[in-house]
């Protein structure tokens, strides 16, 4: 099978400087910096821009709702839209995404409704969308665990001769976990159609990258597993898209996995309960704000005449509508059925759970939780 | 043992031959793989070698390395990739080489295998079987004889079963592979070589059911996996002393068959549970508590636990002192004040 492929190890080191197609001023760059990748066409770039603007608006809205106490927690991706959108836009709707808690805006790009994305963060149920319909796994919280699921699923697809790729996001901190190593290694040994996108946003909660690894870049790690690694400017959505697209195409045609590191920055706190002033300098945040992924592409599109005022107005309108939908769904309290607690543990009913369900039902009938029902958020 | 051959057509069932439990497991895997091409098998050394206990012997030759292969040596990787494969509709049957080597996969087992169905409101369910050779009495060096069943059994979302004989091994493994939910399938190593005359395929009781394997009227002895034999030995020796001992093979640790155990305890009014794992916080504590809660007024004496000592599993030359024996079982039963009954 597949597993007995000839050993063709990859030895090329990722570039020391992150690959980029657009510089911070929104100018197209050429030469070695591009790593041989070329700028996507104007239509693709405009689409990436639109997705990033809408995603940013969503993220800002959800953070505001979190401050109003509408959500229990929210890990923002503000500033990381280049990685999130650039990578996911390279997938087809048949491909699978294995996201983490950080990647809500990527889910949005997969067509998942705000209320379904946020169900878990507002505390209604651990996960709120249909994995199969959206080909998107439940957002994983235990770090790096989902990377193995992506490897397994894409390997299964390959065994079935289905041309499906699985892409998974990892944080820089998560690359230190054993499961990240095992996932990279399994994918390389089995040559699975998997794309690993490490969003190096510089911090794992409060711990900086330097305390996470001694490697020159996280993309360097790919070499040790025998797969291609790319060190990419994560705030250049064009570069992330182009590199991911190539990795997805290679995976689909049997060329095996790829590790992509997108260098970016988390502008917001880790979550709403974090205090980033304890571990990073305001001037660093300012520095990275000036390297914003959306502004960079906007400058380019405007200079090329591709982003007209009419289009900009239309995108703003779409973003506002989504924000309004998000507010609406988050200000309407979902009806929760406590008895559903017992419904999804096993596919076959278990007598012990049926007994426990009956006891909760009796408590509910006796009004045991009546006082709580009123003040539920 | 109510082992009945399922012979849909007479040609299907083979004539009874002496079969080991390892052989029965091998046959179950073979038949499951032949019946359904979504069934795949992988793990450490399961391919050309056939597994360190030879449970997968000959399967790669028959089904090819698209269906059964040697994975890299990484337990979390094995379980984590099996999660993804099951999500895609495969039915992976993965092997952990030894009980104590399943611990690197603990997070995947507890955080994902057990919870995926619940997290996703039933939209993703994982039809995967994790085979774990378990328990001791084979002279293994350290980390080769653990009893890890209570870790899995106390994890909601997992089904945990342990056969004690070849017929159940075959039937329960087939059922586990057919199950839409993840099953931790524990194989008592010391029983791998136990033999019984068997015609395959065989269907024994459903795997969530306990079985009364010896009838008695004075005491109910509850064992599972390796300690069913211990319980039967104790029953034999007890009979010589005039004690009528009923023996239950639990077969399923999670779910627990309250009905079968309860009916027996109400008949005998006394119960004891035997396992190799340490007593403190062990599976026997759950059995004793359940049996007591549900049958207190039928009990003439407290439920006893006969278990391994509360020590890490000892080295081979000392394991005989640690493992529960028939003598220890009878000595424990002697601590009851029988005339109170
Ligand atoms: C196995 C595990 N250990 C610890 C945690 C707690 N935790 C949640 S997020 C986080 C930091 C992760 O950093 P990184 O991987 O860089 O991703 P980021 O949050 O920056 O996107 C930690 C330690 C966890 N979720 N899982």
């Amino acid at each position: 099978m597949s597993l007995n492929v000839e050993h063709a190890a990859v030895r090329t080191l990722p570039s020391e400087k992150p690959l980029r197609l657009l510089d911070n001023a929104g100018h197209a760059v050429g030469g070695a910096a591009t790593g041989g990748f070329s700028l996507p066409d104007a239509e693709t770039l405009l689409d990436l821009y639109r997705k990033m603007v809408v995603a940013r608006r969503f993220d800002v809205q959800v953070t505001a709702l979190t401050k109003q106490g509408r959500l229990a927690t929210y890990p923002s991706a503000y500033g990381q839209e280049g990685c999130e959108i650039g990578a996911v836009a390279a997938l087809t709707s048949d491909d699978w995404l294995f996201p983490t808690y950080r990647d809500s805006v990527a889910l949005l790009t997969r067509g998942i409704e705000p209320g379904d994305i946020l169900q878990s963060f507002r505390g209604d149920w651990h996960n709120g969308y249909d994995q199969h319909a959206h080909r998107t796994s439940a957002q994983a919280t235990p770090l790096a665990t989902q990377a193995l699921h992506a490897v397994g699923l894409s390997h299964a697809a390959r065994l079935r001769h289905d041309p499906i790729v699985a892409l998974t996001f990892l944080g820089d901190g998560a690359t230190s976990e054993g499961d990240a190593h095992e996932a990279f290694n399994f994918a390389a040994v089995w040559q699975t159609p998997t794309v690993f996108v490490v969003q190096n946003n510089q911090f794992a909660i409060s711990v900086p990258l330097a305390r996470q690894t001694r490697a020159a870049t996280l993309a360097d790690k790919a070499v040790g597993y025998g797969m291609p690694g790319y060190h990419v400017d994560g705030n250049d959505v064009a570069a992330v898209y182009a590199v991911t697209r190539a990795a997805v195409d290679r995976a689909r045609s049997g060329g095996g996995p790829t590790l992509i590191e997108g260098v970016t920055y988390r502008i917001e706190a880790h979550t709403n309960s974090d205090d980033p002033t304890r571990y990073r300098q305001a001037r660093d945040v300012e520095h990275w704000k000036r390297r914003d992924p959306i502004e960079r592409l906007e400058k380019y599109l405007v200079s090329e005449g591709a982003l007209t005022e009419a289009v900009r107005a239309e995108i703003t309108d779409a973003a506002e509508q989504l924000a309004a939908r998000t507010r609406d769904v988050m200000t309407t309290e979902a009806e929760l059925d406590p008895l559903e607690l017992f419904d999804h543990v096993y596919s076959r009913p278990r007598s012990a759970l049926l007994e426990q369900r009956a006891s909760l039902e009796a408590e509910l009938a006796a009004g045991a939780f009546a006082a709580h029902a009123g003040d539920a958020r | 043992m109510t082992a009945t051959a399922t012979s849909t057509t007479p040609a299907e069932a083979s004539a009874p031959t002496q079969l080991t439990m390892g052989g029965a497991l091998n046959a179950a895997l073979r038949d499951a793989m032949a019946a359904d091409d979504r069934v795949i098998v992988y793990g450490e050394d399961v391919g050309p070698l056939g597994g360190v206990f030879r449970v997968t012997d000959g399967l790669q030759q028959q089904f090819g390395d698209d269906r059964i292969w040697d994975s890299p040596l990484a337990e979390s990787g094995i379980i984590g990739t099996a999660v993804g494969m099951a999500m895609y509709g495969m039915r992976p049957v993965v092997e952990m080489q030894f009980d104590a080597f399943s611990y690197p996969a603990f997070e995947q087992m507890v955080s994902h295998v057990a919870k995926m169905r619940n997290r996703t409101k039933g939209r993703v369910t994982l039809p995967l079987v994790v085979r774990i050779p378990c328990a001791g009495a084979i002279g293994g060096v350290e980390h080769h004889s653990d009893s890890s069943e209570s870790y899995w059994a106390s994890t909601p979302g997992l089904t945990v079963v342990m056969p004690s004989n070849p017929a159940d091994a075959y039937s329960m493994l087939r059922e586990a592979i057919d199950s839409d939910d993840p099953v931790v399938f524990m194989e008592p190593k010391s029983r791998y070589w136990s033999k019984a005359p068997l015609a395959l395929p065989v269907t024994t009781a459903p795997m969530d059911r306990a079985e009364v394997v010896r009838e008695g009227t004075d005491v109910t002895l509850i064992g599972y996996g390796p300690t069913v034999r211990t319980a039967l030995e104790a029953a034999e020796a007890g009979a010589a002393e005039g004690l009528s001992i009923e023996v239950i093979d639990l077969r399923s640790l999670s779910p627990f068959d309250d009905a079968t155990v309860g009916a027996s305890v109400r008949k005998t009014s006394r119960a004891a549970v035997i396992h190799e794992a340490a007593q403190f916080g062990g599976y026997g504590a759950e059995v004793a508590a359940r049996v007591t809660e549900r049958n207190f007024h039928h009990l003439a004496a407290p439920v006893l636990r006969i278990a391994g000592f509360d020590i890490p599993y000892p080295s081979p030359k000392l394991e005989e002192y640690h493992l529960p024996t028939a003598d220890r079982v009878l000595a424990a039963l002697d601590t009851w004040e029988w005339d109170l009954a």
Side-chain angles (χ1 to χ4, degrees), chain A residues 70 114-116 118-125 127-128 326-338 340 372-377, chain B residues 121:
Chain A
R70 293 274 162 198
D116 293 344
L118 299 174
Q119 220 183 77
S120 67
F121 294 123
R122 82 170 181 185
D124 290 352
W125 199 272
N127 191 261
T326 306
R327 284 193 301 275
D328 281 353
V329 69
M330 295 310 288
T331 44
T332 324
E333 193 54 49
E335 291 259 339
L336 300 181
D337 176 6
E340 201 183 351
H372 290 274
D375 51 52
R377 252 186 298 125
Chain B
K121 282 202 175 176

Side-chain angles (χ1 to χ4, degrees), chain B residues 6-21:
Chain B
T6 44
S7 40
T8 35
T9 57
E12 258 184 36
S14 58
T17 44
Q18 286 288 322
L19 205 60
T20 62
M21 192 172 97

Side-chain angles (χ1 to χ4, degrees), chain A residues 80 100-102 141-143 145 170-175 177 199 201 203-205 212 266 270, chain B residues 107:
Chain A
Q80 300 184 209
T100 76
Y101 52 84
R102 177 79 60 215
T141 300
L143 298 168
T145 53
L170 294 150
D172 43 293
T175 62
E177 292 279 2
Q199 297 194 67
N201 66 5
F203 286 94
I205 307 186
Q212 216 64 250
R266 154 169 64 74
H270 171 71
Chain B
E107 182 188 31

Side-chain angles (χ1 to χ4, degrees), chain A residues 14-64:
Chain A
S15 63
E16 207 170 312
K17 278 202 161 165
L19 299 179
R20 63 167 55 142
L21 301 176
L22 288 178
D23 69 14
N24 198 33
H27 300 308
V29 299
T34 67
F37 293 94
S38 45
L39 206 56
D41 59 41
E43 196 187 330
T44 303
L45 289 176
L46 197 59
D47 185 52
L48 292 170
Y49 174 77
R50 177 193 310 272
K51 288 187 162 97
M52 288 200 296
V53 170
V54 171
R56 167 78 53 91
R57 182 67 188 91
F58 171 79
D59 197 276
V60 168
Q61 180 62 71
V62 180
T63 298

Side-chain angles (χ1 to χ4, degrees), chain A residues 235-248:
Chain A
N235 285 15
D236 176 1
V237 70
V240 174
Y241 174 82
V243 173
T244 311
R245 190 59 205 269
V248 167

Side-chain angles (χ1 to χ4, degrees), chain A residues 1-4 96 98 119 124-132 135-146 148-162 164 177 179 182-183 185-186 189-190 336 340-341 343-348 350-352 355, chain B residues 36-38 40 42 65-67 69-85 87-90 104 107-108 111-112 114 116-125 155-160 175 179-182 206-208 254-256 258 290 294:
Chain A
M1 99 186 260
S2 43
L3 305 186
N4 288 329
W96 273 77
F98 287 78
Q119 220 183 77
D124 290 352
W125 199 272
H126 299 307
N127 191 261
Y129 48 87
D130 186 329
Q131 285 68 38
H132 292 286
R135 302 232 167 185
T136 300
S137 177
Q139 285 175 281
T141 300
L143 298 168
T145 53
Q146 79 287 352
L148 282 165
H149 306 167
V151 174
L153 182 133
S154 53
H155 189 54
R158 190 159 172 241
L159 289 173
R160 287 254 166 252
H161 306 291
D162 297 338
I164 284 171
E177 292 279 2
D179 273 13
E182 295 190 21
N185 191 50
F186 271 63
V189 172
W190 292 353
L336 300 181
E340 201 183 351
L341 282 175
D343 288 354
H344 310 295
V345 186
Y346 299 96
S347 54
R348 279 169 52 184
R350 263 194 188 194
S351 58
E355 285 171 23
Chain B
D36 183 347
D37 70 0
R38 295 171 304 168
I40 50 172
Y42 63 99
D65 59 6
D66 265 1
R67 300 283 307 282
W69 67 90
D70 289 329
S71 73
L73 216 172
E75 291 73 16
S76 193
I78 292 169
I79 302 295
T81 52
V83 167
M85 299 219 196
M87 282 180 75
Y88 202 74
M90 297 290 200
E107 182 188 31
Q108 285 288 348
S111 295
H112 293 298
M116 190 66 82
R117 181 179 172 80
N118 186 253
R119 293 168 70 208
T120 63
K121 282 202 175 176
R123 284 178 293 241
V124 177
T125 199
T155 302
L158 298 179
T159 294
V160 185
E175 191 180 339
S179 163
D180 285 333
D181 290 322
M207 70 177 183
D208 61 358
S254 173
F256 182 86
D258 290 295
R290 277 187 102 80
R294 286 162 193 250

Side-chain angles (χ1 to χ4, degrees), chain B residues 177-259:
Chain B
I177 295 170
D178 285 342
S179 163
D180 285 333
D181 290 322
V183 177
V184 178
F185 194 89
M186 309 205 69
E187 302 170 1
K189 294 185 278 271
S190 61
R191 309 297 292 147
Y192 270 138
W193 301 276
S194 66
K195 281 187 182 162
L198 203 56
L200 295 178
V202 64
T203 303
T204 64
M207 70 177 183
D208 61 358
R209 211 70 62 70
E211 285 262 49
V212 175
V213 290
R214 179 187 169 113
E215 304 237 1
T217 51
D218 294 333
V219 191
T220 299
L221 271 186
I222 302 163
Y224 54 84
T227 61
V228 174
R229 179 171 55 182
T230 320
L232 288 170
E233 282 167 14
E236 200 61 43
E241 295 170 17
L243 198 59
S244 171
I245 297 180
E246 179 146 308
V247 174
I248 290 185
D249 179 351
L250 219 42
R251 300 169 83 250
S252 173
L253 275 55
S254 173
F256 182 86
D257 183 354
D258 290 295

